[in-house]
Amino acid sequence: MSNLILRNVRPYGEAATDLLIRDGVIAETGTIADQPGIAVEDGQGAILWPGLIDAHTHLDKTTWGMGWHENNRAAVLRERIDYEREMRLELGMDPHRQSMRHAIGLAAHGATHIRSHVDIDTTHGLRLVEGVQQTREKLRGIIDIEIVAFPQSGLMVMPGTLELLDEALANGCEVLGGIDPCGIDRDPKGQLDALFALAGKHGVPIDIHLHEAGELGAFTMEMIFERVRATGMQGKFVISHAFALGMNDELRVARLVEEIAELDIGIATTGAPSATVPSARRLKAAGVRLGAGCDGIRDTWGPWGLPDMMDRARIIGMKNGVRSDHELRHMLEIVSQGGADLMRLDGYGIAPGCKADFTLLRGQTVGHAVVQPALPPLVVKAGKIIAREGHCIVDMP
Amino acid sequence: MSNLILRNVRPYGEAATDLLIRDGVIAETGTIADQPGIAVEDGQGAILWPGLIDAHTHLDKTTWGMGWHENNRAAVLRERIDYEREMRLELGMDPHRQSMRHAIGLAAHGATHIRSHVDIDTTHGLRLVEGVQQTREKLRGIIDIEIVAFPQSGLMVMPGTLELLDEALANGCEVLGGIDPCGIDRDPKGQLDALFALAGKHGVPIDIHLHEAGELGAFTMEMIFERVRATGMQGKFVISHAFALGMNDELRVARLVEEIAELDIGIATTGAPSATVPSARRLKAAGVRLGAGCDGIRDTWGPWGLPDMMDRARIIGMKNGVRSDHELRHMLEIVSQGGADLMRLDGYGIAPGCKADFTLLRGQTVGHAVVQPALPPLVVKAGKIIAREGHCIVDMP
């Protein structure tokens, strides 16, 4: 837990001030005099923003640093899943090494927290979770990693997976994942009942991938709503992707959003450019917690993505047809406070009393900082400088 | 017209070779020996690609370098047009200075040709065209600029504009523009008849903005098809944006694309992230000429965009749901050969006999070069090095 004086920064783009950090906590803002034994850093008028949050990613899936993975298959979701499960072995993808690369990349670009969904299946068992857990230990004090026990290959269609999820939750995974109860598992009742029972047993929240679009996804959401209500999981459920909320049926979407708000279900978006995505504007108006993630980056599924939540804010903003400065600001809130709301982080923010987890951003205004690709001049975790100009103090392995 | 020996480059990502340029033309590839009086440049194994082409932009509209333009209006198309027309004066936007900035930015990022639509209206007359014409002269030998005489504010709703377009075409504009004959002009027959007559008078091609989506845009396209056929404008018409081609009605779109191919109408896309856009995959399969542009960047319409056709290739690729390497390559072709096809450029390419207009790109493979943001190591125009590592030999004013 470090001490630091940071001079001349603009909290949320407002007037410049100084910051005193004591024991990893923001102690004071205003004009701060030098203090014996406390290092001083010049913020040079940069924007001060709470640490960015990747609330939906897959740290161990990236091929980053392994040479370009050429891929000329025309695969649909199920095929991508099966291809990846087998290619991990063929390519020698070390889950610890790859998750280190991805997480360090995120930290270098201003992130201080990650929620990573990690595959659990009968081919790999808990090997992938263990690799990411090693990374979490190694990067303690650099970036916080929360792990979702994620049945990527399906739960009902792959017997033995439920037991592995149970074991993972007993061994340090904080959240239970899930995936397309119809599309992947072909048994929505079976999968959802099993997930809610397991989450109840371990007292953990659920964060489910829902790629199902249109009416199919809407149907699954309704099944989720029933179970959230019946089990008292209000406030403890996140729907990731939620592509069905991007469908055209105005009344249908309005009703789904209303129920999502009422049950305090969170939504994690990636702004998927080629899919129908939830409207950030609409969810904000309804008071729904909305975070965002980079999802898989440069993996066997596809070539896109960077370990950079500012890049993601731009993708989400463009997809949502954002043009105004107040909506640009909203995009930055989604990749910061929005993620903290999804993950229920304590002490998040840049007010006195908050944990000193933040990034500096370059830009004349907040809107400018969002649209202009630039490396963050400084990233601070628990009061310690962990990256400068896009370079983390820990090198990628 | 310059001479140059370029060593160790990979044409289209293939095996490394050297290149001899004589008098601004690619004379020879293979192993090239030193030659007296000809400078030698080491390509360091970079990918050699024909110069990138911004086939749809508005050079004089950007606020680049003028400080951040804060904008909190929630405006629709007509309001954005009117706001911009007035703000140009209020903000003191010099069309020459601003178009210099935008064009130099494009050249620095690997572009060698631009098609710029320049507003012509009764407020500004030909002032904006003259500003861009000045830029074209100043940047001769750095980047080629083609000018579209563009009635941004409408033709039928702004009497006097037709006469100004006539004057512009007599004074060096190479292409006649147009905009939403229904949405903006409320008189599709009137506008289209006027445009075809004027283009016929000057013997110039037409490139029309068509934001009209769904059935409205499809209707306007049909009116265009009738007139292309009647006036023999096959091969001389471009539809920019063509959002209607992104609609869901499969049969309707199939029929439109069929007619576009038959009439050899070109399409210019921006991959607009929040709109319905034409499918690049589908147009390629139909053999339709498809180019791309950055459109307006950071202007009074909105904050997005960079003067960078590689960034645009990524936006178009993500929007089109591209995942495979051969489709990544297609994205790069759209922002290069595709633009050349739209603009009917002579001597375009990197084979012996072609003009030496090209860029080097960093990447292990072509796919890698597309997805990984990086500055082009070298950009060459007519055999002369005009940019290195994102820095043009001409500074932005």
Side-chain angles (χ1 to χ4, degrees):
Chain A
M1 292 304 182
S2 306
N3 303 322
L4 182 70
I5 292 171
L6 183 58
R7 292 261 160 75
N8 188 21
V9 291
R10 291 180 290 142
Y12 299 113
E14 303 300 322
T17 184
D18 305 339
L19 213 64
L20 171 65
I21 297 160
R22 275 195 186 280
D23 298 329
V25 171
I26 297 173
E28 206 182 320
T29 60
T31 302
I32 308 289
D34 283 3
Q35 306 206 6
I38 302 190
V40 177
E41 191 72 27
D42 181 3
Q44 301 184 311
I47 295 168
L48 172 68
W49 203 268
L52 307 183
I53 298 182
D54 189 339
H56 183 107
T57 191
H58 301 270
L59 288 180
D60 57 310
K61 292 188 181 223
T62 186
T63 62
W64 204 270
M66 291 178 62
W68 182 252
H69 178 66
E70 187 133 345
N71 196 340
N72 276 313
R73 302 163 320 110
V76 298
L77 185 58
R78 180 75 249 180
E79 295 160 351
R80 283 183 208 130
I81 291 171
D82 296 336
Y83 178 75
E84 175 179 60
R85 201 179 51 248
E86 304 310 318
M87 284 307 281
R88 282 180 183 277
L89 299 168
E90 196 170 314
L91 294 174
M93 290 184 60
D94 182 287
H96 170 51
R97 183 192 62 208
Q98 292 313 111
S99 58
M100 283 289 284
R101 290 176 179 169
H102 190 158
I104 290 167
L106 283 165
H109 290 91
T112 54
H113 298 79
I114 298 169
R115 169 177 282 189
S116 181
H117 297 251
V118 185
D119 294 8
I120 290 176
D121 58 51
T122 52
T123 301
H124 298 280
L126 299 184
R127 181 177 90 77
L128 307 173
V129 165
E130 285 156 10
V132 179
Q133 281 174 330
Q134 260 184 283
T135 294
R136 160 153 75 186
E137 287 314 310
K138 275 232 177 129
L139 295 183
R140 207 169 279 286
I142 303 290
I143 190 160
D144 289 348
I145 300 173
E146 186 186 64
I147 299 177
V148 184
F150 174 46
Q152 168 81 79
S153 290
L155 187 57
M156 312 307 284
V157 293
M158 197 171 262
T161 303
L162 187 66
E163 293 72 14
L164 288 166
L165 292 174
D166 192 16
E167 197 183 333
L169 292 171
N171 287 293
C173 289
E174 294 93 344
V175 182
L176 175 60
I179 185 168
D180 297 347
C182 295
I184 294 295
D185 258 338
R186 334 303 268 185
D187 180 4
K189 181 176 187 314
Q191 193 214 72
L192 290 172
D193 285 348
L195 288 182
F196 277 85
L198 190 59
K201 175 180 170 187
H202 291 276
V204 296
I206 296 176
D207 185 338
I208 190 172
H209 283 61
L210 197 59
H211 309 95
E212 295 166 7
E215 277 303 328
L216 182 62
F219 161 72
T220 299
M221 283 186 192
E222 289 169 342
M223 293 194 67
I224 289 170
F225 300 159
E226 290 163 10
R227 286 163 178 75
V228 165
R229 195 169 272 122
T231 60
M233 287 277 283
Q234 289 92 338
K236 292 177 185 159
F237 203 98
V238 170
I239 301 178
S240 282
H241 300 308
F243 291 154
L245 295 181
M247 71 178 168
N248 278 330
D249 187 333
E250 172 64 24
L251 273 175
R252 190 89 166 100
V253 173
R255 187 56 201 275
L256 293 170
V257 169
E258 205 174 279
E259 234 176 324
I260 285 168
E262 186 198 320
L263 296 171
D264 193 13
I265 289 172
I267 303 289
T269 189
T270 64
S274 63
T276 59
V277 302
S279 158
R281 200 173 285 128
R282 176 165 212 153
L283 293 182
K284 185 180 183 181
V288 173
R289 289 176 292 132
L290 175 63
C294 287
D295 208 356
I297 60 161
R298 203 173 296 182
D299 55 24
T300 63
W301 291 49
W304 303 107
L306 298 171
D308 179 354
M309 288 308 296
M310 294 302 289
D311 182 63
R312 186 54 48 176
R314 285 187 283 278
I315 288 172
I316 298 168
M318 288 192 284
K319 177 73 180 183
N320 276 270
V322 162
R323 290 177 184 262
S324 67
D325 281 79
H326 72 266
E327 287 200 318
L328 289 175
R329 187 186 186 94
H330 182 212
M331 297 305 111
L332 194 46
E333 288 164 356
I334 289 170
V335 300
S336 52
Q337 185 66 52
D341 292 343
L342 282 196
M343 293 168 65
R344 304 289 191 193
L345 298 182
D346 284 333
Y348 182 81
I350 50 175
C354 292
K355 292 179 185 165
D357 295 348
F358 56 77
T359 184
L360 300 189
L361 299 172
R362 285 217 169 78
Q364 294 166 38
T365 65
V366 170
H368 186 212
V370 172
V371 302
Q372 176 68 49
L375 296 168
L378 210 68
V379 186
V380 170
K381 178 76 185 169
K384 183 174 155 193
I385 295 168
I386 62 102
R388 283 180 195 272
E389 300 293 345
H391 293 283
C392 186
I393 57 170
V394 182
D395 286 332
M396 284 192 196
Chain B
M1 291 302 180
S2 307
N3 302 323
L4 182 71
I5 293 171
L6 184 58
R7 292 261 161 73
N8 189 19
V9 292
R10 292 181 289 143
Y12 299 114
E14 303 301 323
T17 186
D18 305 339
L19 213 63
L20 171 65
I21 297 160
R22 278 197 185 278
D23 298 329
V25 172
I26 297 174
E28 207 181 321
T29 60
T31 302
I32 308 288
D34 283 4
Q35 306 206 8
I38 302 191
V40 176
E41 191 72 27
D42 181 3
Q44 301 184 312
I47 295 168
L48 171 68
W49 203 267
L52 307 182
I53 298 183
D54 189 340
H56 183 108
T57 190
H58 301 270
L59 288 180
D60 56 310
K61 292 189 181 223
T62 186
T63 62
W64 204 269
M66 291 178 62
W68 183 253
H69 179 66
E70 187 134 343
N71 195 342
N72 275 313
R73 302 163 320 110
V76 296
L77 185 59
R78 179 75 249 179
E79 294 161 350
R80 284 184 207 128
I81 291 170
D82 296 336
Y83 177 75
E84 176 179 61
R85 202 179 49 248
E86 304 310 319
M87 284 307 281
R88 282 181 183 275
L89 299 168
E90 195 171 315
L91 293 174
M93 289 182 61
D94 182 289
H96 170 50
R97 183 192 62 207
Q98 293 312 112
S99 58
M100 283 289 284
R101 290 176 179 169
H102 189 157
I104 290 168
L106 283 165
H109 290 90
T112 54
H113 300 79
I114 298 168
R115 170 176 282 189
S116 181
H117 296 251
V118 185
D119 294 8
I120 290 177
D121 58 50
T122 51
T123 301
H124 297 280
L126 299 184
R127 182 176 90 79
L128 308 173
V129 166
E130 286 156 9
V132 178
Q133 282 174 330
Q134 259 184 286
T135 294
R136 160 153 75 185
E137 287 313 311
K138 276 229 176 132
L139 295 183
R140 206 169 280 285
I142 303 290
I143 191 162
D144 290 347
I145 301 172
E146 185 186 66
I147 300 177
V148 184
F150 174 46
Q152 168 81 79
S153 290
L155 188 57
M156 311 308 283
V157 294
M158 197 172 260
T161 304
L162 187 65
E163 293 71 15
L164 288 166
L165 292 174
D166 192 17
E167 197 182 334
L169 292 171
N171 287 293
C173 289
E174 294 94 341
V175 183
L176 176 59
I179 184 168
D180 297 347
C182 295
I184 294 296
D185 257 338
R186 333 304 267 185
D187 179 4
K189 180 176 188 312
Q191 195 214 70
L192 290 173
D193 285 346
L195 287 182
F196 276 85
L198 190 58
K201 174 179 172 188
H202 291 276
V204 296
I206 297 177
D207 185 339
I208 191 172
H209 282 62
L210 196 60
H211 310 93
E212 294 166 9
E215 277 302 329
L216 183 62
F219 161 73
T220 299
M221 282 186 193
E222 290 170 342
M223 294 195 66
I224 289 170
F225 300 158
E226 291 164 10
R227 284 162 180 75
V228 165
R229 196 168 273 123
T231 60
M233 288 275 284
Q234 288 92 338
K236 294 178 184 160
F237 203 98
V238 170
I239 302 178
S240 282
H241 300 308
F243 291 154
L245 295 181
M247 70 177 168
N248 277 331
D249 187 333
E250 173 63 24
L251 274 175
R252 190 88 166 99
V253 173
R255 187 57 202 271
L256 293 170
V257 169
E258 204 174 282
E259 233 175 324
I260 285 167
E262 185 198 320
L263 296 171
D264 193 13
I265 290 173
I267 303 289
T269 189
T270 64
S274 62
T276 59
V277 303
S279 158
R281 200 173 284 128
R282 176 165 213 153
L283 292 181
K284 184 181 183 179
V288 173
R289 289 177 292 132
L290 175 63
C294 286
D295 208 355
I297 60 161
R298 202 172 295 181
D299 55 24
T300 63
W301 291 49
W304 303 107
L306 298 170
D308 179 354
M309 288 309 295
M310 294 303 289
D311 182 65
R312 186 55 48 177
R314 285 187 284 278
I315 288 172
I316 297 168
M318 288 192 283
K319 176 73 179 183
N320 276 272
V322 163
R323 290 177 185 263
S324 66
D325 281 79
H326 72 264
E327 287 200 318
L328 288 175
R329 186 186 185 94
H330 182 211
M331 297 304 112
L332 193 46
E333 288 164 356
I334 289 170
V335 301
S336 52
Q337 185 65 52
D341 293 342
L342 282 195
M343 292 167 67
R344 304 288 190 194
L345 298 182
D346 284 331
Y348 182 81
I350 50 175
C354 292
K355 292 179 185 165
D357 294 348
F358 56 76
T359 184
L360 299 189
L361 300 172
R362 284 216 171 79
Q364 295 166 40
T365 66
V366 171
H368 186 211
V370 172
V371 303
Q372 177 68 49
L375 295 168
L378 209 67
V379 186
V380 170
K381 178 75 185 169
K384 183 176 156 192
I385 294 168
I386 62 101
R388 281 179 195 273
E389 302 291 346
H391 292 283
C392 186
I393 57 170
V394 182
D395 287 332
M396 284 192 195

